[in-house]
Amino acid sequence: MILERADTVVAEYNRVGRRYNRVVDAIYKARETSGPFSAEYEPHIIAGLISFDMGRTMGAGDKYEFTGTGFRARLRAKMHIVRERLKGVPLVCPDQTELASFQNAITEAYDCLAASGEGALRGNQYRQFHVGATKILHWIAPALFIVLDRNVASAFRRHHHMEFASGDTQKRPLRVT
């Protein structure tokens, strides 16, 4: 279903989404050279979030400031936790590993990035950072953490008769029905 008219759809996206493609290409290149958890990679994650129109959700001030409570300082603290949570998780395509074995570790990494409260990545610490968390996880391991926009995700769920896990108010894992 997703592959129907793929050539046409991808060509149209590439025509209108050039700036996004340039940004993610630079992020992927930086990931290859510096590694997803390095201090050198942090500015690329920040630039990616800003380029994908998330700057306003990241709070006021210099997003690249890595001292105090600036965004980069909060990101660095979260990335240390995420690195520990994902230790041992194969950062490969989902069909190349048994994801169920790593569900808790992946969920903990996601929850860490999306969490509200003290040290939250979202500038308004009372709100969660779901969209930013999915983008950051994707930039850590693009093959494993695939980003789907809302329209694609909705169509995929309908086509494959998927729904959110029952009682999951945060709408994280999907299950097949």
Side-chain angles (χ1 to χ4, degrees):
M1 183 235 15
I2 288 179
L3 298 178
E4 290 175 13
R5 301 181 27 248
D7 292 343
T8 305
V9 173
V10 169
E12 176 61 14
Y13 176 82
N14 286 337
R15 187 182 68 75
V16 298
R18 280 191 200 118
R19 84 174 173 116
Y20 297 119
N21 288 345
R22 284 192 294 269
V23 169
V24 295
D25 287 346
I27 292 169
Y28 295 152
K29 185 176 180 179
R31 181 187 177 279
E32 288 176 18
T33 59
S34 62
F37 295 104
S38 69
E40 295 80 25
Y41 192 52
E42 293 166 2
H44 297 280
I45 292 173
I46 296 165
L49 292 169
I50 292 168
S51 296
F52 279 84
D53 302 321
M54 300 202 60
R56 70 189 186 300
T57 66
M58 296 160 64
D62 181 355
K63 310 295 187 266
Y64 297 94
E65 179 58 46
F66 56 87
T67 60
T69 58
F71 183 83
R72 187 169 176 185
R74 298 189 317 267
L75 176 65
R76 182 171 288 176
K78 297 281 187 177
M79 291 295 278
H80 286 296
I81 296 167
V82 169
R83 179 183 208 162
E84 287 302 311
R85 298 300 184 266
L86 295 180
K87 192 175 280 185
V89 175
L91 303 179
V92 296
C93 292
D95 64 344
Q96 295 176 346
T97 188
E98 181 55 47
L99 282 179
S101 303
F102 304 102
Q103 181 176 350
N104 289 343
I106 292 169
T107 300
E108 288 173 10
Y110 174 85
D111 288 346
C112 172
L113 293 168
S116 59
E118 187 176 336
L121 291 178
R122 187 164 180 124
N124 176 349
Q125 68 176 3
Y126 301 107
R127 301 208 42 208
Q128 293 182 320
F129 198 60
H130 294 293
V131 175
T134 60
K135 286 180 178 12
I136 293 168
L137 283 174
H138 174 72
W139 294 327
I140 289 170
L144 180 60
F145 301 115
I146 301 165
V147 175
L148 301 175
D149 76 7
R150 158 185 15 205
N151 298 324
V152 172
S154 178
F156 187 81
R157 279 193 299 274
R158 281 193 311 274
H159 182 77
H160 292 285
H161 308 291
M162 298 176 92
E163 60 186 44
F164 295 112
S166 68
D168 189 355
T169 59
Q170 295 182 14
K171 300 187 178 237
R172 287 183 300 223
L174 295 170
R175 65 177 171 86
V176 179
T177 59

